[in-house]
């Protein structure tokens, strides 16, 4: 059974940093996408960043480019999202996901975590 578990969320002041982690288990694939999405209250879920497992290629939404960094530790089966220069617009539930296809589209992902909340106060 595939399981993704996020951690590292919390409350932080504007300008601060957080690192999210997503530990995976039962996922045998070494190819495809792993990504981070976020959903603010009353809004749709949006893609934040993704990484292609077999190549390490990364891609970011314009709103986080230059502030967030996605990385994957294959030995630890853990996906990370380092977030810096946080602002109130980054407040959301953050989800990690695994799958294949067009990595910036939620439809590419078969497996999702339960989410971790990030709250940025000004």
């Amino acid at each position: 059974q595939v399981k993704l578990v996020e951690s590292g969320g919390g409350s932080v002041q504007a300008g601060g940093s957080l690192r999210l982690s997503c530990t995976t288990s039962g996922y045998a694939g070494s190819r495809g996408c792993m990504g981070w999405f976020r959903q603010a209250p009353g809004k749709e879920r949006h893609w934040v960043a993704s990484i292609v497992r077999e190549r390490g290629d990364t891609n970011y939404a314009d709103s986080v480019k230059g502030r967030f960094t996605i990385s994957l530790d294959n030995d630890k089966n853990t996906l990370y999202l380092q977030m810096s220069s946080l602002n109130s617009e980054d407040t959301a539930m953050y989800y990690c996901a695994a799958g294949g296809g067009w990595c910036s589209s939620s439809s590419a992902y078969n497996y999702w975590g339960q989410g971790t909340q990030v709250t940025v106060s000004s």
Side-chain angles (χ1 to χ4, degrees):
Q1 181 180 359
V2 178
K3 191 173 182 181
L4 282 68
V5 180
E6 302 96 335
S7 62
S11 297
V12 64
Q13 289 191 331
S17 300
L18 281 175
R19 188 178 79 158
L20 305 183
S21 300
C22 173
T23 302
T24 65
S25 60
Y27 188 70
S30 60
R31 301 174 62 86
C33 311
M34 291 202 72
W36 289 96
F37 290 74
R38 66 186 182 185
Q39 186 171 18
K43 296 187 177 181
E44 295 182 350
R45 187 176 299 185
H46 290 287
W47 167 75
V48 174
S50 56
I51 186 167
V52 180
R53 296 174 64 100
E54 61 269 34
R55 296 196 305 269
D57 295 350
T58 59
N59 202 7
Y60 300 89
D62 287 343
S63 59
V64 306
K65 199 171 294 184
R67 301 187 299 121
F68 290 12
T69 302
I70 188 171
S71 60
L72 178 62
D73 187 331
N74 286 308
D75 292 337
K76 295 182 179 179
N77 295 321
T78 302
L79 179 73
Y80 299 99
L81 185 68
Q82 178 68 48
M83 307 184 295
S84 61
S85 300
L86 287 162
N87 58 62
S88 58
E89 294 184 351
D90 297 316
T91 294
M93 184 71 79
Y94 283 72
Y95 300 88
C96 69
W102 192 255
C103 296
S104 60
S105 171
S106 61
S107 62
Y109 296 88
N110 308 105
Y111 306 103
W112 294 82
Q114 83 290 347
T116 186
Q117 177 68 38
V118 172
T119 302
V120 184
S121 58
S122 57

